[in-house]
Amino acid sequence: MQSPLFPSAHPDTAPRYPTPSQLQQLFDSSPDVICSIDGDGRFVLVSRASLQVWGYAPEELIGRAYMDYVIPEDHALTVAAATAIMSGTDMTDFQNRYRRKDGAIIPILWSARWDEAGQTMFCIAKDASEKLEKERLRSQLDTEIRRQHHQMQEMLGRIADGFFSVDHQWVIQYANPRVQSMLGINVADYIGRNLWESFPSVRDSACYEQYHEAIRTHRPVHFEVWLDVFGKWFSVDAHPSSTGLSIFFRDTTQQKATEEELRRSHERFALAAKSDAIYDWDLMTDELQWGDGLHRIFGYHPDELRTTAQWEEALHPANFAETTRKLRAVLANESASVWEATYRLRKKDGNYFIVHELGHIVRDGSGAALRMVGKLNDITEKRRAELERRSYGEQLRNQHASMVAVLEQMNDGFITTDLEGRILYWNKEAERMTGIPRSAALGQLFPELYSGFEESEYAGIFRRLAADPTPVHRIIFSPFTRRWMELHAYVAVQKISVFFRDISEQKRSEEELRMLSLIARQTTNAVSLLDTAFRVTWINGAYTKLFGFTEEEALGRRTSELLAGPRTDEAQMRAFRNALEAGHEFVGEFVNYNKDGAEIITECSAQPVHDAEGAVLYYFMMMTDITGRRRREEELRLLSMIATEMEDGVVIITPDRKTTWVNAAFTRMTGYTLEEMLGRTPASVLEGPAGDPELHAFIREQYRKAQPFRVEVLNYKKNGEPFWSEMHVQPLFDADGAVELYFSIRKDITARKQLEQELEEQRKRTTAAVIEAQEAERSAVSQELHDNVNQVLTTVKLYQELCLSGIGDRDELTQRSIRLLQESITAIRSLSKRLSAPSLGKIRLEESVRELTDAVAATGKIQVALDTEAIEQLEVDGTIHLAVYRILQEGLTNVLKHAQATRVSVSFGFTGERLLVLVSDNGCGFDPGERGGGIGLSNIRTRVESLAGAATCDSAPGAGCTLRVELPV
């Protein structure tokens, strides 16, 4: 396509160069200013970009010295650069600062060279604001990168995991202090050495294959490995990067031993059992989940004891300090796995009861407590029996402690008695399980050892064996040890021998499985069991309530078939399946869809359940609806983004009006930083001595009602300077309708307030001037009626009286009376026309002006010259039209009355977008400094200023007078 600037030339024609107009069009299309400057430093040629960059049109700059626009601080720098350029040095990156037409100062980046032949400097000027901003941001970014690097080093040094990094040649680059403590090595000896050469045996482990897999696929890997060189199990996460590999690992040796307990703990959640209030306390979030037993037994709704603070509130004052101290001590003890306590707790009805609490603490590999699962039981009525059992248990433990030295090595308890039940042998395991030392048991009858033995199941077994030697196998709960026992007893050589073992853990596991079944059915979270092909085998009622599928509709179908939809993340689904198939727990979020197609965001926790041999039986999955929470988080995120970028000050405060966040605009407005405002009420910081008590009371009332409001309030900056702010406050509510926070926007309206005050003062001055002008006009009218019309009418009356008296020539006196009456009529008509508003109708300004000057000329007292060429086709609104008419009327009246002039000229013109009116006479003139212009000129100035115009009067004694008026049109 042919260019409009450079037309293409035919091969057989001479080259065609662009015309000057085409070159000018090219220059004007540049976003940068292209200009030339002569040897005197004046603009010769300027492109149209000057309007965008400096605010000046080219015609405003041509002929002007470029130094007129350089700020004074940069003059010396600019002169030195210009001298260098005129000496023949080309410059491409000189920078100075220019003052724009609107007064703003902007940085300018210059490229220039000097043409010696034409004595002209050719320049390109570019607005460098964006470049400086990028440099500032780059500097901030470099500083932030260094800070984050330092922060990362500190963080890696504090984390509980071991961490080290290697480059692509497997050379160790860094290792944190935990590597040294976990592996028992001096890390300084290994920095800079090859990983595989430093630890040759690690080559034969899964580390070698997994690390190379991460480098090859550029994907992170996670695995567990046993390393003989350190004699430990490790959980390893390796993350590839462009510089090599970053490895995090933790010692999971102890975790392996407690894996089954952790699995059960993760499956538990707080719901009711038949006789206890079961809870699951997440120590990371300080959130308690309760079963129905809390309400059924103790009267509380789960939300009323959701946090430890609420639990502490319900503690009896006498038990508060001791119970909370012991709880903190147990949680801090890395070896403690059980929390047990008895204390008094207030019921919903206000009465206190005695509660026994038993909690199992789940810890991570470093021993930090993660959660506690337990139960509360009302033991008020059983307190006495419990105290007796505790005393008895203490006696048994004391006896056991005195006989530790004679314990034997047998794994089962073993006892031998005669047929009467007298103890003949009592091994160390029997001592451990019963708590009775052998010295105390030998030679004793069981009733002597255990009160109530004769009523127990044990006595029945011994009586049967004494009568019938048939061996007995029983599983019973011992009322004496409070443990479950598996018992084998037989008779041989007139002696009864009993083998027994503690199976309490086995029974507890069975009970936990039974409890889990009860809990899963009653929880509000959606619970499902999946077979190893990920097909649903069971769902609870909450699953049906959340997703709408009945058990019959869900059984045998995959979760992806039931719940997946348009926004379900397939990659997340694959990660879910991969984690469970690899035997790992999965925790994540899904976008699911219910039976009706409605979108539901869920938090999913799933894990495999194994049999005794480690084979997967099924997958356990629990989903929590977090749709509302995610929507609120997104709303707050968007609000934060908007607030950060706003020019107005933004404050976010809590329901009790404590500041939690302010934006940068607030800091610029008040001088207070976020750190200075945190936790303080804005009123306590910004209010000062000149505050309005009624306004402050109104604000407090609006907060109390949780209603949005807008007020204008006088505040004080950090430096004590007062300023006016317009404040908009909007409450934000949670899903339950309670105020979650308040969002406050403040705008500095000090300038507006000052302008309003100035306008009010101007209005008062204008009103006073108008009143003064009206009084002067009334006085002038009164004077004219008295001095002119009244005298003429008095003369007419005299003539008529002479006629009636027959004195003088009757006809002559009548003719004189008629002439005088005509003069009075003419004067009154002139006075009336001058006082009344002209009926300008739809006539142009030029026509009304001509009519006025013709009326003045018709008096015959003065010669009028009128030049209306500039306004012949001018259309103005009625306000400007009437103002020009009145100004001319006042000016011409002043000339007639006071100037003693023989000639007056009226002309019109334009200065920019303003109408220029000139009234000049050849009269006697006056000294403006002495007289100030009088009432007439004051009226003109008041009228002109009310229309944002300007009026001046140039006069001197004997030199006539020129009135100059400019009005916007």
Side-chain angles (χ1 to χ4, degrees), residues 254 329-338 361 363 366-369:
Q254 181 180 358
V330 169
L331 294 176
N333 183 357
E334 296 180 354
S335 63
S337 62
V338 175
I361 304 170
R363 302 179 182 273
S366 64

Side-chain angles (χ1 to χ4, degrees), residues 275-277 297-298 343 345 347 352-357 375-383:
S275 59
D276 300 324
I297 300 173
F298 305 130
Y343 50 85
L345 196 70
K347 283 189 175 183
Y352 283 90
F353 65 97
I354 302 174
V355 62
H356 175 256
E357 180 180 357
K375 63 179 182 178
L376 300 180
N377 188 18
D378 184 354
I379 61 168
T380 306
E381 299 300 325
K382 300 179 181 179
R383 181 60 173 173

Side-chain angles (χ1 to χ4, degrees), residues 642-858:
I642 294 170
T644 301
E645 301 300 325
M646 288 181 66
E647 290 299 324
D648 296 336
V650 176
V651 184
I652 296 179
I653 57 180
T654 60
D656 58 351
R657 291 190 282 165
K658 296 295 194 304
T659 302
T660 62
W661 185 82
V662 300
N663 68 348
F666 178 88
T667 300
R668 291 194 299 271
M669 181 186 300
T670 66
Y672 290 101
T673 64
L674 173 60
E675 291 73 17
E676 293 171 316
M677 292 298 298
L678 283 178
R680 303 171 69 184
T681 64
S684 68
V685 178
L686 301 177
E687 289 180 4
D692 184 348
E694 292 186 3
L695 177 61
H696 295 161
F698 169 77
I699 293 174
R700 288 192 296 271
E701 179 65 13
Q702 295 305 106
Y703 274 121
R704 187 188 68 78
K705 294 179 179 178
Q707 293 182 349
F709 62 92
R710 172 197 167 279
V711 294
E712 294 180 0
V713 61
L714 180 63
N715 290 146
Y716 291 81
K717 298 182 180 181
K718 185 178 180 180
N719 61 7
E721 177 186 349
F723 71 100
W724 280 93
S725 66
E726 181 179 53
M727 182 171 67
H728 297 258
V729 178
Q730 175 68 47
L732 299 181
F733 301 94
D734 59 19
D736 298 325
V739 175
E740 195 166 9
L741 52 86
Y742 288 95
F743 192 83
S744 171
I745 300 177
R746 293 172 180 262
K747 181 189 292 291
D748 189 338
I749 60 170
T750 306
R752 193 192 81 194
K753 282 287 189 179
Q754 292 172 345
L755 179 59
E756 289 175 353
Q757 184 177 359
E758 292 173 1
L759 288 175
E760 177 62 20
E761 292 175 355
Q762 178 64 33
R763 186 190 63 79
K764 292 179 180 178
R765 289 196 298 270
T766 301
T767 302
V770 169
I771 293 172
E772 182 181 359
Q774 289 174 344
E775 292 299 321
E777 186 68 29
R778 291 189 183 98
S779 176
V781 171
S782 174
Q783 185 72 27
E784 187 162 347
L785 288 172
H786 180 272
D787 295 346
N788 188 8
V789 177
N790 184 60
Q791 296 300 324
V792 171
L793 293 177
T794 301
T795 302
V796 171
K797 177 176 179 294
L798 176 62
Y799 286 161
Q800 294 303 307
E801 288 176 349
L802 290 174
C803 288
L804 293 174
S805 302
I807 302 173
D809 187 338
R810 186 182 183 91
D811 291 338
E812 183 181 351
L813 291 174
T814 301
Q815 289 297 325
R816 288 181 181 179
S817 297
I818 290 172
R819 287 196 302 274
L820 291 175
L821 285 173
Q822 184 59 50
E823 289 179 10
S824 296
I825 291 170
T826 301
I828 291 172
R829 183 183 294 119
S830 175
L831 181 61
S832 174
K833 186 172 183 179
R834 179 157 56 90
L835 291 176
S836 64
S839 178
L840 302 177
K842 296 185 178 179
I843 66 174
R844 286 195 176 93
L845 175 62
E846 188 267 342
E847 296 174 14
S848 62
V849 169
R850 188 170 298 280
E851 178 184 327
L852 177 61
T853 55
D854 288 348
V856 173

Side-chain angles (χ1 to χ4, degrees), residues 864-922:
V864 180
L866 176 63
D867 179 5
T868 60
E869 181 180 356
I871 63 170
E872 284 181 353
Q873 302 301 321
L874 179 64
E875 297 286 350
V876 295
D877 62 38
T879 302
I880 298 296
H881 193 158
L882 180 60
V884 172
Y885 186 91
R886 284 302 193 196
I887 290 168
L888 282 177
Q889 188 181 52
E890 187 73 45
L892 292 173
T893 300
N894 285 344
V895 171
L896 287 172
K897 286 184 176 182
H898 309 296
Q900 303 174 19
T902 61
R903 188 176 185 279
V904 63
S905 65
V906 178
S907 61
F908 295 87
F910 286 94
T911 58
E913 296 183 353
R914 296 165 76 90
L915 175 64
L916 174 63
V917 183
L918 293 175
V919 180
S920 300
D921 66 66
N922 62 351

